[in-house]
Amino acid sequence: MSVTGQEAPALYRDPAAPLESRVRDLLSRMTLREKVGQLNQRMYGWDAYRRTPDGRFELTDALYAETERFAGLGALYGLQRADAWSGVDHAGGPGAEDGADLADLVQRHVVERSRLGIPALFVEEVPHGHMALDGTVLPVNLAAGATWDPALYERAAAHAAAELRARGGHVALVSALDIARDPRWGRTEECFGEDPYLAARFTEALVRGMQGESAEYFAADKAPVVLKHFAGQGATVGGRNSAESELGSRELHEIHLPAARAGVRAGAAAVMAAYNEVDGMPCSGNRALLTGLLRDDWGFEGLVMADGLAVDRLARITGDKVSAGALALDSGVDLSLWDEGFTHLEEAVRRGMVSEDVLDAAVARVLRLKFRLGLFERHGARTPFPAHGPDVSTALARAAVTLLRNDAGALPIPASVSRIAVLGPHSATTAHQLGDYTAPQRPGTGTSVLDGLRRLAPPGVDIRHARGCALTGDALSGIPEAVAEAAASDVAVLVLGGSSARTPETDFAANGAALTAVSEMTCGEGVDLAGLRLGKAQYALLEAVTATGTPTVVVLIQGRPHVVPDIGAALLTAWYPGPWGGRAIAEVLLGLAEPVGRLPVSVPRSAAQLPVYYNHKDIEYGGYVDESAEPLYSFGHGLSYTSFTYGPPILTGRTVEIDVTNTGRRCGRTVVQVYLRRLITSVWPRTLELCAFEGADLAPGERRTVTMTLEEDQLAQADTVEIRVAESARAALTAVPAVLHIRT
């Protein structure tokens, strides 16, 4: 008692107390039931509220029941999520103007229902921008990887975090760890690329951008990130979602773990255990992975979250959901997602299926994150909604546009052109530029390719349009109109591709994945392909337009590499560039911006070739009798409107220097790529391994020395290596090497 006779405030409520002391103090005051409640993220956030006829929000009986169940709430998923699965749209969901009010309403209720006043974590999807109404939609991860510019992506990630926190959200779920090894997988768009080094650099940028500088407490405009998915999910057999992963230990460590390791080193607050199994054990129940490797070997002290309903899936192994929850907790999962298994942890502890010490360690990690966010002091605090979201998204989209072929300098479109035909199913829409996991957009948001060309083309240029065909199906009725427009024009811009757009008619699995593709959906979670072809009518349209003899520029808007005949005067890909991607594409087509993107994945000639990633084992693979075994376009490939020459690489220890010269007539950007080829090594090597890269912007005639330093662990397990510097993986195969003797 104090001298005034009043009880001193609890230590955990003192913001000046050491963080770990606050965690221990609060944990010591909690009942077993309250502890278990902190590890449950059972409820869908959109079921926690409803909008009243007068426009206000009110809480639901479902939320009252959930907070009553555990005398509070550990975490709430998707309070602001809006999409076809949740059914949230602009009619009843929270927008930028009232999202923070809703979050505050829910949080005040949670704190009131908690005996100890413990606030909830609000966990949100931020796959490529906050997945909420009025959130800025960024280009998908595959487009971000195509920029080969982690610093630019870091700025975009920082903007997404600021939007999330301004809306009252706390924790961002972001795909970063999956490696695109099979483009048939519908979630290829969520990967940064096929290469572990490239993915690692973007994962670091993501963590830095969202979380800020490493510190004990998060700034008010920064958000802890949950890196998805740990581990090996990009290697599922046949490119089928959630299938098994046939991974040896070396393949797992060399290809699928470097991005996670980089994220942990950068200070990531959390990781999400993947659905797939590794060596026979699903990741959510894999103690060797989550505790042995992640915590014991790597020293990770953050939070591990299960993917949606992944804990309950473990009942297939354990026999029931009580033991499934115990297995996941004992293996290293701290926070569930929609599962029943974790709701039975109190019973599991009492039955001796898992120790209370293990439970306490998990609870401490959840509480630590809440303290680091300052939720006990400022859970109702507001930060301003950041401006210039469209500019951030457009900049990233512009840097991702990748020119794959440019016969006879067809691009940029010459100033002498007087009529341009803009054709194809992607030409006049923004709906299919957005990628999977995207909230409904307000009418008029964004810019299509047609809009961009009409706004940016020189005065007097006649821009004509015909859709030609749909993205899917074989209906050919619109092709004659498109052919007529192409034949009467100086240039045809043919915009083809795929779509991850979900509709309310989509059938969804319990975890939100698409069960069946509907309408024009050809990509996204649950939409895997046996082949890599576009809709049949798109090929007919392509052949008919190019047959007119009008120079045809093909633009691909897609979430994975599709197989497209290598015809037309030029070919570029923009992946899913976001709402304003049409403007970015138009700028490149007209020469107002340079094409600076580079391929983050190899582009196959057909699905029958797979796999075609560049960093396969260094064995003399036999070719095919019926077609080449080489990709159509290699990893790292991308053309410019100017030209560059590279001098020979100079090695000084682990430092690589190379002179780069712009030998063309325009300013441009090249991405200097350093590849390593192991010559004398203790294990069988890969043909090439990307080990460094750096973009260089050069004026015409400018020459610059680019310097990069290799990391020590990149040179492990080898006595002698070759260093090859080139503009793509394919070019590196014939580049003049510099030999580095590591051990003599």
Short mmCIF file of all heavy atoms in Angstrom, two decimals, residues 43 67 77 148 167 177 181 211 293 300 373 424 496 508 521 561 568 589 610 640 679 690 692:
data_model
loop_
_atom_site.label_atom_id
_atom_site.label_comp_id
_atom_site.label_asym_id
_atom_site.label_seq_id
_atom_site.Cartn_x
_atom_site.Cartn_y
_atom_site.Cartn_z
N MET A 43 -12.30 -15.89 -34.45
CA MET A 43 -13.45 -15.24 -35.08
C MET A 43 -13.08 -14.51 -36.37
O MET A 43 -11.98 -13.96 -36.50
CB MET A 43 -14.04 -14.23 -34.08
CG MET A 43 -15.34 -13.62 -34.50
SD MET A 43 -15.96 -12.52 -33.20
CE MET A 43 -17.54 -12.09 -33.92
N THR A 67 -15.89 -12.83 -26.73
CA THR A 67 -15.15 -12.21 -25.63
C THR A 67 -15.55 -12.78 -24.28
O THR A 67 -14.74 -12.82 -23.35
CB THR A 67 -15.36 -10.68 -25.64
OG1 THR A 67 -16.76 -10.40 -25.71
CG2 THR A 67 -14.67 -10.04 -26.84
N TYR A 77 -9.09 -11.51 -36.45
CA TYR A 77 -8.65 -11.51 -37.84
C TYR A 77 -9.65 -10.78 -38.74
O TYR A 77 -10.85 -11.01 -38.67
CB TYR A 77 -8.51 -12.94 -38.35
CG TYR A 77 -8.32 -13.04 -39.85
CD1 TYR A 77 -7.04 -13.01 -40.41
CD2 TYR A 77 -9.42 -13.12 -40.71
CE1 TYR A 77 -6.88 -13.07 -41.79
CE2 TYR A 77 -9.25 -13.19 -42.08
CZ TYR A 77 -7.98 -13.16 -42.62
OH TYR A 77 -7.81 -13.22 -43.98
N TRP A 148 13.29 -5.48 -59.34
CA TRP A 148 14.66 -5.69 -58.85
C TRP A 148 15.13 -4.44 -58.09
O TRP A 148 16.30 -4.06 -58.14
CB TRP A 148 15.62 -6.03 -60.00
CG TRP A 148 15.42 -7.40 -60.56
CD1 TRP A 148 14.30 -7.90 -61.14
CD2 TRP A 148 16.38 -8.48 -60.61
NE1 TRP A 148 14.49 -9.21 -61.54
CE2 TRP A 148 15.76 -9.58 -61.23
CE3 TRP A 148 17.71 -8.60 -60.20
CZ2 TRP A 148 16.40 -10.80 -61.43
CZ3 TRP A 148 18.36 -9.80 -60.41
CH2 TRP A 148 17.71 -10.89 -61.03
N ARG A 167 -5.99 2.97 -39.86
CA ARG A 167 -7.33 2.38 -39.82
C ARG A 167 -7.58 1.65 -38.50
O ARG A 167 -8.64 1.04 -38.33
CB ARG A 167 -7.49 1.40 -40.97
CG ARG A 167 -7.43 2.03 -42.35
CD ARG A 167 -8.77 2.62 -42.74
NE ARG A 167 -9.73 1.56 -42.99
CZ ARG A 167 -10.00 1.07 -44.21
NH1 ARG A 167 -9.37 1.56 -45.27
NH2 ARG A 167 -10.90 0.13 -44.36
N LEU A 177 7.63 -15.51 -48.28
CA LEU A 177 8.59 -16.61 -48.17
C LEU A 177 8.42 -17.69 -49.22
O LEU A 177 9.28 -18.56 -49.35
CB LEU A 177 8.46 -17.25 -46.77
CG LEU A 177 8.53 -16.28 -45.59
CD1 LEU A 177 8.49 -17.06 -44.29
CD2 LEU A 177 9.77 -15.40 -45.67
N ARG A 181 8.52 -21.96 -57.86
CA ARG A 181 9.24 -23.01 -58.57
C ARG A 181 8.39 -23.71 -59.62
O ARG A 181 8.90 -24.45 -60.44
CB ARG A 181 9.78 -24.04 -57.57
CG ARG A 181 10.68 -23.46 -56.50
CD ARG A 181 11.91 -22.81 -57.06
NE ARG A 181 13.01 -23.75 -57.23
CZ ARG A 181 14.22 -23.41 -57.66
NH1 ARG A 181 14.46 -22.14 -57.99
NH2 ARG A 181 15.18 -24.31 -57.77
N GLN A 211 8.02 -2.39 -40.53
CA GLN A 211 8.31 -2.31 -39.10
C GLN A 211 9.20 -1.15 -38.72
O GLN A 211 9.27 -0.79 -37.54
CB GLN A 211 8.95 -3.62 -38.64
CG GLN A 211 8.04 -4.82 -38.78
CD GLN A 211 8.58 -6.08 -38.12
OE1 GLN A 211 7.93 -7.10 -38.11
NE2 GLN A 211 9.78 -6.02 -37.56
N LEU A 293 14.66 -25.46 -35.70
CA LEU A 293 15.34 -24.58 -36.65
C LEU A 293 15.06 -23.10 -36.35
O LEU A 293 15.99 -22.32 -36.13
CB LEU A 293 14.88 -24.90 -38.08
CG LEU A 293 15.43 -23.98 -39.17
CD1 LEU A 293 16.93 -24.19 -39.33
CD2 LEU A 293 14.71 -24.22 -40.50
N PHE A 300 15.08 -17.03 -33.27
CA PHE A 300 13.87 -16.24 -33.46
C PHE A 300 13.08 -16.18 -32.16
O PHE A 300 12.80 -17.19 -31.54
CB PHE A 300 13.01 -16.88 -34.57
CG PHE A 300 11.71 -16.17 -34.84
CD1 PHE A 300 11.70 -14.90 -35.37
CD2 PHE A 300 10.49 -16.80 -34.57
CE1 PHE A 300 10.50 -14.24 -35.63
CE2 PHE A 300 9.29 -16.15 -34.83
CZ PHE A 300 9.29 -14.88 -35.36
N LEU A 373 3.49 -2.78 -29.40
CA LEU A 373 2.62 -1.92 -30.18
C LEU A 373 2.07 -0.75 -29.37
O LEU A 373 1.42 0.15 -29.92
CB LEU A 373 1.46 -2.73 -30.75
CG LEU A 373 1.77 -3.55 -32.00
CD1 LEU A 373 0.75 -4.67 -32.18
CD2 LEU A 373 1.80 -2.65 -33.23
N GLY A 424 -8.07 -6.15 -77.11
CA GLY A 424 -7.87 -7.25 -76.18
C GLY A 424 -8.72 -7.15 -74.93
O GLY A 424 -9.19 -6.07 -74.55
N LEU A 496 -3.46 -8.75 -73.43
CA LEU A 496 -3.95 -10.08 -73.10
C LEU A 496 -3.58 -10.43 -71.66
O LEU A 496 -2.91 -9.67 -70.98
CB LEU A 496 -3.34 -11.11 -74.05
CG LEU A 496 -3.47 -10.84 -75.55
CD1 LEU A 496 -2.69 -11.89 -76.34
CD2 LEU A 496 -4.93 -10.82 -75.97
N PHE A 508 -16.22 -20.83 -52.19
CA PHE A 508 -15.04 -20.70 -51.35
C PHE A 508 -14.90 -21.90 -50.42
O PHE A 508 -15.89 -22.43 -49.91
CB PHE A 508 -15.10 -19.42 -50.51
CG PHE A 508 -15.03 -18.16 -51.31
CD1 PHE A 508 -16.17 -17.43 -51.59
CD2 PHE A 508 -13.82 -17.70 -51.79
CE1 PHE A 508 -16.11 -16.27 -52.33
CE2 PHE A 508 -13.75 -16.54 -52.54
CZ PHE A 508 -14.90 -15.82 -52.81
N MET A 521 -11.78 -15.84 -63.81
CA MET A 521 -10.71 -16.10 -62.86
C MET A 521 -9.82 -17.24 -63.38
O MET A 521 -10.28 -18.35 -63.61
CB MET A 521 -11.28 -16.46 -61.50
CG MET A 521 -10.26 -16.52 -60.39
SD MET A 521 -11.05 -16.83 -58.78
CE MET A 521 -9.63 -16.66 -57.69
N PRO A 561 3.61 -16.66 -65.33
CA PRO A 561 3.98 -16.73 -66.74
C PRO A 561 3.02 -17.63 -67.50
O PRO A 561 2.79 -18.77 -67.11
CB PRO A 561 5.39 -17.34 -66.72
CG PRO A 561 5.87 -17.22 -65.32
CD PRO A 561 4.65 -17.26 -64.46
N GLY A 568 4.37 -11.10 -83.10
CA GLY A 568 4.14 -9.68 -82.87
C GLY A 568 5.45 -8.94 -82.90
O GLY A 568 6.54 -9.52 -82.84
N LEU A 589 4.93 2.34 -73.19
CA LEU A 589 4.62 2.17 -74.61
C LEU A 589 4.94 3.43 -75.41
O LEU A 589 5.46 3.37 -76.53
CB LEU A 589 3.15 1.82 -74.79
CG LEU A 589 2.69 0.45 -74.29
CD1 LEU A 589 1.18 0.32 -74.40
CD2 LEU A 589 3.37 -0.67 -75.07
N LEU A 610 8.33 -27.99 -67.65
CA LEU A 610 8.56 -27.69 -66.24
C LEU A 610 9.28 -28.82 -65.52
O LEU A 610 9.00 -29.99 -65.77
CB LEU A 610 7.22 -27.39 -65.55
CG LEU A 610 6.45 -26.20 -66.13
CD1 LEU A 610 5.12 -26.03 -65.43
CD2 LEU A 610 7.27 -24.92 -66.03
N SER A 640 15.82 -2.79 -72.76
CA SER A 640 15.73 -1.35 -72.52
C SER A 640 15.55 -0.65 -73.85
O SER A 640 15.69 -1.26 -74.93
CB SER A 640 17.00 -0.87 -71.81
OG SER A 640 17.00 0.54 -71.66
N LEU A 679 32.90 -24.37 -58.72
CA LEU A 679 33.72 -25.30 -59.51
C LEU A 679 34.18 -26.49 -58.68
O LEU A 679 33.96 -27.64 -59.05
CB LEU A 679 34.93 -24.57 -60.09
CG LEU A 679 34.63 -23.42 -61.07
CD1 LEU A 679 35.93 -22.82 -61.58
CD2 LEU A 679 33.77 -23.92 -62.23
N LEU A 690 22.33 -16.65 -58.24
CA LEU A 690 22.38 -15.20 -58.08
C LEU A 690 22.94 -14.88 -56.70
O LEU A 690 22.48 -15.42 -55.69
CB LEU A 690 20.98 -14.61 -58.23
CG LEU A 690 20.88 -13.09 -58.10
CD1 LEU A 690 21.51 -12.39 -59.31
CD2 LEU A 690 19.41 -12.65 -57.97
N ALA A 692 24.30 -11.36 -56.06
CA ALA A 692 24.28 -9.91 -55.85
C ALA A 692 23.62 -9.27 -57.07
O ALA A 692 23.64 -9.84 -58.16
CB ALA A 692 25.68 -9.34 -55.65
#
